[in-house]
Amino acid sequence: MVEALLFAAAQPMTLRDMAARMPAGCDAAEALARLRARYEGRGVELMRVGDAWAFRTAADLGFLMQDQVVETRRLSRAATEVLAIVAYHQPVTRTEIEEIRGVALSRGTLDQLIEMGWVRLGRRRQTPGRPVTFVVTEGFLDHFGLSNTGDLPGLAELRAAGLLDPRPGGGMATDLAAAGGDADIPADEGPGDDLFGD
C-alpha cells in the first residue's frame, strides 16, 4: 500500500499522510524501511524529502532523464528591420537606423541583437559627437550562409522572390514586414518592444 501511494502521489508524502489513507493498525514507518531496503541500488530509490518520502531516479542515472531541446524563436518585426538595416547599410549609426525606419529605436532591440552575436559595435564616425556605428558579425554571415555582405540579395532578387511589397509607397517598414511575414503586427512597435515576437 505504501509503495502504491508513493508511486501515485504527485508530491512527496509524510508518514501522517500515508497513515491517514491506510487501514487502522498498519505501520507506514516499517513499510518504508522495507521498501527502502528493497529499492536500494536500483534505478529508482526511496528518498527522504524533508519530512516526507518519494520515489526518485537514482542520482547516478539522472543523465538518462536529461533532454536537450533547440528552441526556435522568431525575431520581432522591429528586430528584423534593424538587422536588415545594419546588414544593408553598415556601418550605420543609431540615428541613421531611426531615420531609415521612421520610428525611434528601442535600446533593447540593438542590445539583444548584439547579445545574439549578429550585430557588433563598429568604428566611431569622425563627425561631431563621434557616434558609434553598428555592423553585422561573422556569426550573422554564418547563420545565413553568406561569405560576406555582398552576398545579400539585392532589391531585384527580393522582388523576384515576392518578399517586397510591389505597391508604390509601401516603404521599407512595409517591405521588411512582408519579408518577415509579420504583416498583422502594428506599424510602430514602440520603444518597449522585445526582440522576439510571441
Side-chain angles (χ1 to χ4, degrees), residues 24-174:
C26 292
D27 188 350
E30 184 183 336
L32 280 173
R34 281 203 238 150
L35 280 174
R36 197 167 191 191
R38 184 184 303 166
Y39 280 93
E40 194 170 336
R42 298 183 65 181
V44 176
E45 296 176 345
L46 183 59
M47 299 187 67
R48 186 176 190 135
V49 183
D51 290 332
W53 295 84
F55 281 111
R56 296 287 185 254
T57 303
D60 60 331
L61 299 177
F63 71 94
L64 294 171
M65 305 301 129
Q66 294 176 353
D67 190 17
Q68 294 184 351
V69 178
V70 176
E71 183 181 350
T72 54
R73 302 173 73 187
R74 261 179 80 169
L75 287 175
S76 69
R77 177 178 159 190
T80 302
E81 289 180 6
V82 170
L83 187 59
I85 291 167
V86 172
Y88 280 94
H89 296 273
Q90 68 177 349
V92 62
T93 65
R94 177 192 251 331
T95 303
E96 291 167 340
I97 293 171
E98 290 176 341
E99 285 174 6
I100 293 168
R101 283 190 72 218
V103 292
L105 177 62
S106 166
R107 181 182 191 94
T109 301
L110 263 176
D111 290 344
Q112 290 175 335
L113 285 171
I114 290 170
E115 284 175 22
M116 288 178 67
W118 284 3
V119 172
R120 68 175 176 80
L121 298 177
R123 293 184 177 172
R124 288 189 174 273
R125 284 267 169 86
Q126 298 303 316
T127 57
R130 299 197 59 218
V132 70
T133 60
F134 299 93
V135 296
V136 293
T137 65
E138 288 184 5
F140 166 84
L141 297 174
D142 183 47
H143 181 83
F144 290 99
L146 306 169
S147 57
N148 58 57
T149 53
D151 292 337
L152 286 165
L155 283 175
E157 293 171 281
L158 291 173
R159 280 201 182 96
L163 296 175
L164 293 183
D165 190 347
R167 293 173 293 164
M172 180 167 188
T174 306

Side-chain angles (χ1 to χ4, degrees), residues 171-188:
M172 180 167 188
T174 306
D175 294 346
L176 288 170
D182 290 338
D184 56 333
I185 296 177
D188 184 5

